[in-house]
Amino acid sequence: MNTWVKYIDRSYEQVKESLINRLKTVEPRATNFNSSNILTRIIEMVAGTIDQVNFYIDFYAREGFLMTLRRFASAILFAKAYNYRVKGAFPAEATQRFYVDTPTPSTITIPQGTIVATAANIVFETIQELQILPTQTEVFGQVIQRERKSLTPIPTTTGLPNQVVVLENNVVDNSIELSINGVYYTAVETFAYSTAIDTHFVASVNESGLMIITFGDGVNGVIPDVGQNIVANYFVTQGSNGNVSSLSINTIVSIVPSPLTLRTINNDNASGGTDSEDLETIRRKLPLFVRTLERAVTKQDFKDVTEQFTGVAKAGVVHSCGEPTRIYIAPQSGGIAPPTLINGVINWLDKRKTINIDVIVETVGVVSLRYNINVTALPQFKNTDVANTVRQTLLNFHAINNQEVQGSLYLSDLYQAIDTSTGVSKSIINSIDIVPYARSLNNTTPLNWQRVVKSTSTTTQRWRIVMLAGSQYELYKGASLQGTYNINAPISLPEIEFTVFGTYTIGQQWEFYSYPYLSKFSDTLFLAEPSILSTSTENITLTVTGGYD
């Protein structure tokens, strides 16, 4: 047993002090421990050496556990150990409006792949052909934030097992098309199920954040013959930077023949853009991968497997015996899941579920919260700094990774988050306005409306809007018809007030929920729908006093 240095003595100063104290005990004549003393210098060298050894011991201990490691390279090693493919980026998507100021005299065709961009040159492209027909003024379609690339200079095969070809960062996951000597290779998640003659490759992110292509070893996956050109085409994306705000995609880069001046704009925010998997993403997804092995059988399996798909932050699963399993997904960017992400999840699950289960994938809803809060700052803090801190606290509180589909909000948790923020003495939540989400039941048209739950709302209620002829609609509360109302006319009921705008088709339906108004410290909001609670900077009103200006 070492009686000179205790196991809890880790730093240089601790080790030096322990050695000197022990030396005083065993050799009372040693009294001069100045740095000029040769004995002290020896002790200092020993303490320094032990300190360095302890550093490496602690480093390897820390990096040896997924939950404590700090280096991305260590996370990559963990992924390789469990045969987990570290995935690339996912592009943002937006609904784009192409329009002319007056009805067009002839058809305007907007080809698939038409390039549009923001003022900051964030590039999107249309994913299908669009047409503005004669006498019409506009058409809507999906645009996706990506750019086509080819691997240059063209590398050649080495004929060696597990050859690696490096691409670049921000490669769109599962977008690589690869051929060697005219033979097309197929991307797979793992070589575990590949035979010696399968022309497969695995695309994953390496420790430098670059996408790499790995070929087989002749046992699992074929080894390409030596000296062949490797031809690879793929997409790159700006990931989360592609989640641009509404009205920002406003430039048509491609040349589109048109008899009139053709313009474009995105009415809503782009969403779904996600960066390549980072350390925290691997830390979250690797345990899900190990638990499920990418096979969905139980309800929890479907949730975990869905959340492993690139771009998905949260998933909620609703299953009733004899009915299709419904999965609601929230993109990593927050907001509404775009069609490309939904279709990607459908294809992902189709290969991982049991054949007797039908799956329907939809976006989560977003129930927005508008805050009005008074904050008393500590006197030594600046009011504006405290306001910024509390605002960021609320945004972090509602960050997508901190929420659950059909989750809840405890006011006590909210107060705790605010009151423990730096510089806060106390806070009073004056009001929380709940802004419901309208889910389309039989169409893909979003409901254009303004709404808010009233302070007189005391229960959770399900509502349904059914469009009639002309500019009217029926409003149902549960199964009870509340009346027929006009579009553009404000409606005020005990639970909610709202106004519907726009033009719709007969029979289109939407549902939404109203909730009890939150006023007391002990109040809790429980969502009765597959939605996420969210807020934004513009929905947070803060009044901060008590500090200095």
Side-chain angles (χ1 to χ4, degrees):
M1 180 178 178
N2 182 7
T3 59
W4 287 80
V5 180
K6 299 177 182 178
Y7 74 93
I8 58 174
D9 296 329
R10 312 296 294 174
S11 69
Y12 167 82
E13 293 295 340
Q14 290 173 328
V15 173
K16 178 182 176 181
E17 181 181 3
S18 180
L19 291 173
I20 290 176
N21 289 338
R22 179 59 179 164
L23 184 60
K24 289 178 179 178
T25 302
V26 299
E27 183 51 71
R29 291 175 298 175
T31 58
N32 181 11
F33 295 102
N34 293 325
S35 296
S36 58
N37 189 303
I38 185 63
L39 181 60
T40 303
R41 291 193 175 187
I42 294 173
I43 291 175
E44 288 174 344
M45 286 189 292
V46 171
T49 302
I50 293 175
D51 181 39
Q52 285 188 316
V53 171
N54 284 338
F55 169 80
Y56 285 106
I57 291 174
D58 293 344
F59 172 83
Y60 282 106
R62 183 192 73 209
E63 297 300 306
F65 294 91
L66 183 63
M67 292 299 109
T68 58
L69 61 83
R70 299 177 188 173
R71 299 174 66 246
F72 183 65
S74 300
I76 293 294
L77 291 175
F78 261 94
K80 289 180 179 178
Y82 288 97
N83 202 22
Y84 174 80
R85 185 178 72 87
V86 180
K87 301 171 184 63
F90 197 86
E93 188 172 346
T95 300
Q96 195 73 7
R97 177 188 177 219
F98 293 87
Y99 65 98
V100 290
D101 294 331
T102 58
T104 177
S106 59
T107 299
I108 301 174
T109 299
I110 301 156
Q112 178 182 349
T114 296
I115 304 299
V116 295
T118 67
N121 200 32
I122 298 177
V123 173
F124 291 72
E125 69 173 26
T126 57
I127 60 176
Q128 73 274 342
E129 181 180 280
L130 305 171
Q131 289 185 331
I132 304 178
L133 300 177
T135 74
Q136 295 182 351
T137 60
E138 63 183 9
V139 67
F140 290 86
Q142 297 301 118
V143 295
I144 193 166
Q145 198 284 301
R146 65 188 185 188
E147 296 181 69
R148 301 173 188 270
K149 289 287 190 74
S150 296
L151 180 59
T152 54
I154 297 177
T156 58
T157 55
T158 62
L160 299 175
N162 300 125
Q163 179 182 354
V164 173
V165 177
V166 180
L167 302 184
E168 56 184 299
N169 59 2
N170 297 323
V171 173
V172 174
D173 202 53
N174 288 321
S175 71
I176 301 172
E177 296 178 348
L178 187 146
S179 65
I180 299 176
N181 197 27
V183 177
Y184 283 91
Y185 279 60
T186 303
V188 293
E189 291 292 315
T190 171
F191 285 120
Y193 310 108
S194 302
T195 69
I197 61 173
D198 285 333
T199 51
H200 291 169
F201 70 91
V202 173
S204 61
V205 176
N206 68 5
E207 61 275 6
S208 299
L210 303 175
M211 181 67 77
I212 60 172
I213 295 171
T214 304
F215 294 102
D217 60 3
V219 177
N220 298 103
V222 69
I223 299 176
D225 292 335
V226 66
Q228 305 293 322
N229 287 339
I230 301 173
V231 179
N233 300 301
Y234 53 91
F235 289 105
V236 295
T237 179
Q238 296 195 34
S240 58
N241 289 334
N243 299 317
V244 297
S245 60
S246 60
L247 309 181
S248 60
I249 311 173
N250 52 17
T251 303
I252 301 176
V253 178
S254 301
I255 297 175
V256 179
S258 172
L260 302 172
T261 301
L262 182 64
R263 309 179 196 277
T264 191
I265 202 71
N266 60 312
N267 291 332
D268 298 313
N269 297 339
S271 63
T274 307
D275 299 323
S276 299
E277 291 185 347
D278 57 12
L279 189 152
E280 290 304 322
T281 305
I282 297 173
R283 202 195 306 274
R284 177 166 54 89
K285 290 189 175 184
L286 183 54
L288 303 182
F289 170 80
V290 173
R291 197 194 73 78
T292 62
L293 295 179
E294 291 189 353
R295 290 294 180 266
V297 180
T298 68
K299 183 177 179 179
Q300 186 64 41
D301 289 344
F302 274 96
K303 181 179 186 299
D304 292 346
V305 170
T306 301
E307 289 182 358
Q308 291 175 50
F309 187 77
T310 302
V312 174
K314 294 289 180 177
V317 180
V318 177
H319 177 74
S320 298
C321 187
E323 297 291 331
T325 297
R326 291 185 175 271
I327 299 178
Y328 299 90
I329 60 171
Q332 190 66 51
S333 62
I336 302 300
T340 301
L341 182 59
I342 292 174
N343 292 333
V345 171
I346 292 173
N347 294 333
W348 170 264
L349 290 173
D350 190 56
K351 300 174 183 177
R352 291 162 174 81
K353 67 180 182 65
T354 56
I355 60 174
N356 63 322
I357 296 179
D358 294 325
V359 172
I360 297 174
V361 180
E362 301 179 45
T363 181
V364 296
V366 178
V367 176
S368 297
L369 301 177
R370 295 201 296 246
Y371 289 103
N372 186 303
I373 304 174
N374 287 347
V375 176
T376 301
L378 294 170
Q380 65 269 34
F381 288 88
K382 192 175 182 179
N383 288 332
T384 54
D385 290 344
V386 173
N388 292 333
T389 299
V390 172
R391 186 174 290 106
Q392 191 59 51
T393 295
L394 290 171
L395 294 175
N396 292 340
F397 187 87
H398 286 289
I400 190 67
N401 288 330
N402 295 328
Q403 296 294 313
E404 294 294 336
V405 179
Q406 200 166 334
S408 58
L409 171 65
Y410 290 83
L411 275 192
S412 56
D413 290 344
L414 196 59
Y415 270 110
Q416 181 185 29
I418 296 171
D419 290 351
T420 56
S421 297
T422 301
V424 174
S425 173
K426 61 181 180 179
S427 63
I428 297 176
I429 300 175
N430 299 319
S431 64
I432 303 177
D433 292 333
I434 303 172
V435 183
Y437 172 76
R439 180 175 296 278
S440 300
L441 296 179
N442 60 356
N443 63 91
T444 58
T445 304
L447 185 67
N448 182 12
W449 65 327
Q450 292 179 348
R451 69 283 186 194
V452 68
V453 172
K454 296 174 67 174
S455 60
T456 51
S457 178
T458 58
T459 58
T460 298
Q461 296 288 347
R462 177 180 179 268
W463 305 79
R464 186 162 53 94
I465 290 175
V466 181
M467 287 297 163
L468 303 176
S471 58
Q472 292 187 316
Y473 61 89
E474 292 178 334
L475 178 66
Y476 291 83
K477 178 180 176 182
S480 176
L481 176 63
Q482 299 297 294
T484 300
Y485 302 95
N486 293 321
I487 290 177
N488 298 323
I491 307 300
S492 182
L493 300 169
E495 298 88 354
I496 189 171
E497 58 184 20
F498 65 91
T499 305
V500 176
F501 305 96
T503 303
Y504 305 94
T505 303
I506 297 174
Q508 288 183 318
Q509 298 184 35
W510 296 263
E511 72 171 6
F512 64 92
Y513 286 80
S514 61
Y515 295 96
Y517 190 78
L518 302 174
S519 59
K520 300 190 297 294
F521 179 82
S522 58
D523 284 351
T524 304
L525 170 61
F526 295 101
L527 289 182
E529 59 186 292
S531 292
I532 291 282
L533 290 170
S534 179
T535 192
S536 58
T537 301
E538 57 269 21
N539 283 337
I540 301 173
T541 301
L542 298 173
T543 302
V544 181
T545 58
Y548 66 90
D549 295 324

